[in-house]
């Protein structure tokens, strides 16, 4: 006999006994028993409809508490149950997103440490090797010893540039170097950088040209940071453009923004590298980049500075036909 049937018989017996003790008419006792018979299935259904959502919610909560943040309650009947389930699902989704973000940041930290270690290892090894040779008394001729000293100096300079770029990038990412904006003439800053890098271009017989743009409006920018953007882009263009090539710096006004470009006739960038070109330490040609003294952080610094000014940066390139790096800065309202 089921629990429901047993409960019904017990209740019916109690009603009949109570009816006899109270001298109730037989029809009243019978009516009460019939009402009980009709109410028990309804009570059983109501208990199930209330208990199932609570069971599902409790089960999901136990899974989340055990570390399974992918657990979800899903749709349940009843407004209050539905609201409780939705709140639990939302909390689990937020925890899951936070964990994914933390895991991504941890991967980036590990990659960053590995990259910095790798970038420092090569010049440190060179310094150690040359220094040990000099200490041993070799080589004996003055010219070779002087060459070894220049190699040590070059490796030290490379490490110093890497440390400087790391400090700059760290300050930009943490917000410690927010732009100190003031009215700045973009063309004047570009002209200063072109003049500073002209000797480097001339040594390679590269034509370095700044296209004039009369009446170019000023922008609200950090002059030092804007100068660094131009320096990084033009220096890269000159370094990666072969002898007798051309590097052009251009500017235009479109709507409420200034658009700047640095175009070269270098080797170009294969399409598969373009989406990652602004990542820290990412290089298309790792060996050649180190040979030219690059730290692998210049374009990442450019991206952070431009975006901190409310602008955007992009690159267009085709192997064998050069590259064009573009960035935009908003004009004052």
């Amino acid at each position: 006999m089921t629990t429901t049937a047993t409960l019904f018989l017990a209740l019916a017996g109690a009603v009949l006994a109570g009816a006899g003790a109270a001298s109730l008419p037989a029809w009243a006792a019978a009516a009460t028993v019939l009402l009980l018979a009709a109410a028990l299935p309804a009570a059983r259904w109501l208990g199930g409809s209330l208990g199932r959502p609570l069971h599902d919610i409790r089960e999901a909560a136990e899974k989340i508490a055990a570390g399974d943040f992918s657990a979800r309650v899903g749709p349940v009947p009843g407004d209050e149950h539905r609201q409780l389930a939705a709140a639990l699902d939302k909390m689990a989704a937020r925890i899951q997103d936070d964990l994914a973000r933390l895991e991504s940041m941890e991967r980036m930290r590990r990659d960053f440490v590995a990259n910095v270690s790798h970038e420092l290892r090569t010049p440190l090894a060179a310094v150690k090797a040359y220094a040990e040779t000099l200490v041993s008394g070799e080589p004996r001729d003055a010219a070779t010893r002087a060459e070894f000293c220049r190699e040590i100096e070059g490796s030290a300079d490379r490490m110093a540039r890497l440390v400087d770029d790391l400090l700059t990038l760290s300050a930009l990412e943490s917000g410690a170097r927010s732009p100190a904006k003031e009215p700045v003439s973009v063309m004047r800053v570009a002209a200063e950088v072109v003049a500073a890098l002209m000797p480097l271009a001339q040594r390679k017989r590269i034509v370095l040209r700044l296209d004039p743009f009369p009446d170019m409006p000023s922008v609200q920018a950090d002059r030092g940071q804007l100068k660094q953007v131009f320096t990084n882009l033009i220096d890269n263009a000159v370094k990666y453009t072969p002898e007798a090539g051309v590097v052009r710096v251009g500017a235009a006004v479109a709507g409420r923004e200034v658009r700047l470009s640095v175009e070269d006739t270098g080797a170009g960038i294969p399409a598969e590298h373009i989406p990652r070109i602004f990542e820290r330490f990412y290089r298309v040609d790792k060996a050649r980049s180190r040979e030219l003294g690059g730290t692998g952080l210049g374009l990442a610094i450019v991206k952070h500075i431009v975006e901190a000014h409310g602008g955007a940066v992009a690159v267009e390139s085709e192997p064998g036909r050069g590259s064009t790096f573009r960035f935009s800065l908003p004009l004052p309202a």
Side-chain angles (χ1 to χ4, degrees):
M1 185 178 295
T2 65
T3 303
T4 303
T6 303
L7 178 61
F8 171 71
L9 291 176
L11 289 173
V15 168
L16 292 174
S23 301
L24 290 176
W27 63 269
T32 302
V33 171
L34 288 174
L35 284 173
L36 282 173
L40 279 174
R44 184 174 58 184
W45 173 83
L46 182 61
S49 64
L50 292 175
R52 173 60 60 181
L54 291 175
H55 174 270
D56 293 344
I57 292 171
R58 186 182 70 249
E59 190 175 62
E62 288 173 351
K63 289 180 179 178
I64 293 170
D68 180 8
F69 299 109
S70 64
R72 299 290 186 272
V73 179
V76 293
D79 289 342
E80 291 185 358
H81 290 153
R82 193 177 299 115
Q83 291 173 8
L84 179 60
L88 187 63
D89 286 350
K90 185 177 180 181
M91 180 190 71
R94 183 173 298 174
I95 293 173
Q96 194 172 23
D97 289 344
D98 289 344
L99 285 175
R101 189 160 48 250
L102 287 172
E103 289 173 0
S104 175
M105 290 175 65
E106 178 60 20
R107 281 196 303 272
M108 289 176 62
R109 185 195 65 79
R110 288 197 302 266
D111 291 344
F112 183 73
V113 171
N115 284 325
V116 170
S117 301
H118 182 73
E119 292 298 327
L120 287 173
R121 186 179 294 117
T122 301
L124 277 173
V127 168
K128 187 173 185 295
Y130 285 121
E132 287 176 348
T133 304
L134 290 171
V135 168
S136 70
E138 296 291 339
R140 298 189 179 279
D141 61 291
T144 306
R145 293 175 69 86
E147 178 63 25
F148 278 24
C149 289
R150 284 193 292 272
E151 291 292 341
I152 291 174
E153 184 181 24
S155 295
D157 288 342
R158 179 177 166 186
M159 286 187 286
R161 285 194 300 271
L162 177 59
V163 171
D164 287 342
D165 281 353
L166 284 171
L167 292 173
T168 298
L169 189 59
S170 175
L172 289 169
E173 289 181 336
S174 66
R177 277 192 61 184
S178 299
K181 295 182 180 180
E182 59 179 341
V184 175
S185 169
V186 176
M187 300 308 291
R188 185 173 300 169
V189 173
E192 291 175 2
V193 175
V194 167
L197 294 175
M198 188 64 73
L200 177 63
Q202 290 173 343
R203 283 197 293 271
K204 296 179 66 177
R205 295 186 296 112
I206 290 174
V207 176
L208 176 54
R209 185 170 69 221
L210 174 61
D211 292 339
F213 190 101
D215 304 321
M216 169 66 72
S218 296
V219 298
Q220 287 290 325
D222 184 308
R223 196 178 192 284
Q225 291 186 8
L226 183 57
K227 189 171 184 177
Q228 186 163 20
V229 169
F230 276 116
T231 300
N232 289 3
L233 292 178
I234 299 173
D235 183 61
N236 273 359
V238 172
K239 283 179 178 177
Y240 292 101
T241 298
E243 289 193 1
V246 177
V247 175
R248 295 176 53 190
V249 182
V253 175
R256 296 305 306 166
E257 67 180 17
V258 173
R259 295 180 180 175
L260 297 310
S261 63
V262 177
E263 180 182 356
D264 65 59
T265 56
I269 304 169
E272 64 269 21
H273 294 285
I274 288 179
R276 301 188 61 190
I277 200 67
F278 292 100
E279 292 181 12
R280 296 177 298 183
F281 294 113
Y282 190 81
R283 292 184 172 99
V284 176
D285 185 343
K286 294 179 174 59
R288 186 157 184 259
S289 296
R290 292 193 182 94
E291 180 187 336
L292 295 173
T295 64
L297 297 173
L299 292 179
I301 290 172
V302 166
K303 185 174 185 290
H304 277 284
I305 290 176
V306 171
E307 291 181 349
H309 282 76
V313 63
V315 60
E316 299 169 8
S317 187
E318 186 178 340
R321 304 192 65 177
S323 305
T324 302
F325 284 84
R326 306 183 189 277
F327 68 97
S328 61
L329 296 172
L331 287 169

